[in-house]
Structure formats: structure tokens, C-alpha cells
């Protein structure tokens, strides 16, 4: 049997295949509507019940359309904006650093009308010590395959964001958070997916640092220090990555919906237990 995992990240509010600078020019090779074509093809090919689709963050800032929505701040504008994302029928959503640029009020208003389930394991309310939005992880089943999906976001947001926009929030270390949660969900899942709005601080082949180690990007540390992950979906750096490291499928789909990453999992049942046979990855 086959399962497809779809990811977009860092779409930055680019819905139409155009930059909004020339009226009626929709000839660019990016935009959420182009991504929808890919999603619809995969949903049809695999069957909707054999696909897990994830939006990995940074949706509310970047394009002229997103700026207009945040300027209006009306329920109608927010609903219209989110209707484009809802059209892709995402299963899950993750918070990106730029989603905090206009404060948590606008952020929560957008997710209130979004049909994707928010997963957020490491951004917590200081008072309750619980995720300030969403849930730490989700457990789902596709074709008899038990799947855990964990959402985490770069902890470096307080270094960029206005304190007023993140009042009473704490950003926990991503590696520490995953070390706590992955063993917990691994007991109940045949497949563990981590969707991380963050990237890589070191070269995936040599391990040599590619930037100053600040905690902004912890993807390489996740791969080296956290056992039990099958698929690592990433973003934030706007790179195009599709590879396998330490038997973990690693992908990153660029930005502005120029690409969609897809992971294909092949599995069989042996004595009633799902067994992963092959992991493939590609950018589409």
C-alpha cells in the first residue's frame, strides 16, 4: 500500500500566480492555486484517504494580498483569505515565525476560520504551560497505518518579533521538545512525521556548520539527536530539499508555493502489523 505526504511552506500569502504588480498577469510559476493543482492530482491518484497534507507556516505575511488582509482586519477579509488555503483541504497547519508579525489576535482570527488542524508543540502560554494554540501532536490513521504528526516552530522568534505581539508566550527548544514527545507517540504510531518551521544549521552531508549556531535552525540537530522520526518536513529557509538522512526523509519546498514536496511511503501488513518497506521523496 502507498501513502502520500504533501507539504507547502512559506507561501507568504501568494495565492494567484502573479506578484500583483501588473493587473491580470498570472503567468508566474508560483502561487497557492498552482499548488492546488498538484494537491488535487495527488488526492485523485492516491485517494484522499491515503494522503496526509500539511501547511508548514508563514502564510499571513509577504504578498500584497496578505498585507491588504492584515490592513482590513475584518472577519470578511480574513475569511476570504483563508478560503484559498481551505481549498487545498490541508489536514494540518504549523505556525511560522512571520505569522506572528501582526500579533496573536490576527493569528487566532485566521486559524478560527481555517479548516486545517493546528499542531504546535513548542510555543506555549506562560500561565498554563500548554500550547497557546492548537495541540502538540495528532494521531491519525490512513489505510490501517497509524501516523503521528508533531508540529514545531523555530524558537528564535523572540529575537525578531515585537514583544507586544508575543506577550505571555514562551518558545521552547525544538530538540528538547521532540526528545520528549517522539518517544511518547512512537509507542502508538507506525509512522512519525515532524513538521518543523525551521531549517538546517549544518551541511546535511558533512555536518559542518553553515551558519552561526543560534537555535534559529535546528534541523541537523533533530536528525542527529532525536531517534524515532520517519519524515522531517522543514521550511523557513526557502530552500528546495528532497533527500534521506539517517533513514529519515527530509524535505523543504522552497517558498511562495513554487514547489510542493511529496513523500511516498510504501507499507505492507505482516501478521496484522504495518511495516514500512520504502520511503521516496520528490519535489513537484
Amino acid at each position: 500500500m502507498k501513502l502520500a505526504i504533501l507539504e507547502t511552506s512559506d507561501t507568504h500569502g501568494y495565492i494567484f500566480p502573479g506578484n500583483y504588480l501588473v493587473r491580470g498577469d498570472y503567468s508566474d510559476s508560483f502561487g497557492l492555486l498552482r499548488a492546488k493543482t498538484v494537491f488535487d492530482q495527488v488526492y485523485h491518484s492516491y485517494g484522499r484517504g491515503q494522503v496526509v497534507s500539511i501547511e508548514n507556516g508563514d502564510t499571513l505575511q509577504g504578498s500584497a494580498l496578505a498585507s491588504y488582509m492584515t490592513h482590513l482586519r475584518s472577519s470578511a477579509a480574513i475569511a476570504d483569505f483563508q478560503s484559498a488555503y481551505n481549498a487545498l483541504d490541508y489536514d494540518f497547519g504549523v505556525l511560522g515565525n512571520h505569522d506572528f508579525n501582526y500579533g496573536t489576535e490576527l493569528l487566532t482570527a485566521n486559524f478560527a476560520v481555517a479548516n486545517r488542524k493546528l499542531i504546535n508543540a513548542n510555543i506555549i502560554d506562560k500561565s498554563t504551560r500548554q500550547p497557546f494554540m492548537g495541540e502538540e501532536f495528532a494521531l491519525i490513521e490512513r489505510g490501517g497505518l497509524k501516523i503521528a504528526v508533531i508540529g514545531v516552530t523555530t524558537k528564535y522568534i523572540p529575537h525578531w518579533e515585537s514583544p507586544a505581539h508575543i506577550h505571555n508566550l514562551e518558545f521552547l527548544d525544538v530538540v528538547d521538545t521532540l526528545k520528549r514527545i517522539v518517544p511518547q507517540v512512537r509507542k502508538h504510531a507506525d509512522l512519525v512525521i515532524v513538521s518543523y518551521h525551521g531549517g538546517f544549521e549544518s551541511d546535511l552531508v558533512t555536518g559542518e556548520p553553515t551558519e552561526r549556531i543560534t537555535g534559529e535552525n535546528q534541523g541537523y540537530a533533530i536528525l542527529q539527536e532525536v531517534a524515532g522520526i520517519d519524515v522531517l518536513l522543514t521550511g523557513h529557509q526557502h530552500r528546495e530539499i528532497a533527500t534521506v538522512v539517517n533513514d529519515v526523509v527530509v524535505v523543504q519546498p522552497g517558498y511562495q508555493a513554487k514547489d510542493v514536496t511529496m513523500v511516498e511511503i510504501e507499507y505492507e501488513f505482516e501478521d496484522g502489523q504495518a511495516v514500512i518497506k520504502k520511503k521516496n521523496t520528490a519535489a513537484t
Side-chain angles (χ1 to χ4, degrees), residues 31 57 67 82 89 134:
S67 295
Q82 283 303 321
D89 195 27

Side-chain angles (χ1 to χ4, degrees), residues 4 19-20 44 54 92 111 118 134 149 178 219 241 266 279:
N19 59 16
Y20 308 106
H44 176 75
I54 302 175
F92 301 105
F111 268 95
L118 180 63
V149 185
L178 292 175
I241 299 171
E266 297 184 27
K279 305 172 187 176

Side-chain angles (χ1 to χ4, degrees), residues 6 8 15 32-41 43 48 53 55 79-91 113-116:
L6 295 173
T8 59
I15 293 171
L32 206 64
L33 293 181
R34 287 185 178 270
K36 184 181 186 305
T37 301
V38 176
F39 273 55
D40 288 346
Q41 290 171 346
Y43 289 154
R48 185 62 184 91
S53 52
E55 210 307 303
D80 285 345
F81 184 78
Q82 283 303 321
S83 69
Y85 285 88
N86 289 344
L88 275 77
D89 195 27
Y90 291 104
D91 292 303
V113 295
N115 64 10
R116 57 196 183 275

Side-chain angles (χ1 to χ4, degrees), residues 6-9 39 48 52-59 82 85-86 89-96 99 107 111 114-123 133-138 149-153 194-197 233:
L6 295 173
E7 178 205 11
T8 59
S9 188
F39 273 55
R48 185 62 184 91
V52 178
S53 52
I54 302 175
E55 210 307 303
N56 192 53
D58 276 6
T59 62
Q82 283 303 321
Y85 285 88
N86 289 344
D89 195 27
Y90 291 104
D91 292 303
F92 301 105
V94 175
L95 297 171
D99 294 326
L107 175 55
F111 268 95
N115 64 10
R116 57 196 183 275
K117 181 177 181 178
L118 180 63
I119 44 174
N120 161 42
N122 74 308
I123 304 177
M133 287 178 63
E135 299 177 7
E136 290 185 327
F137 60 86
V149 185
I150 307 168
V152 285
T153 303
V194 171
S195 188
Y196 169 43
H197 189 87
L233 311 177

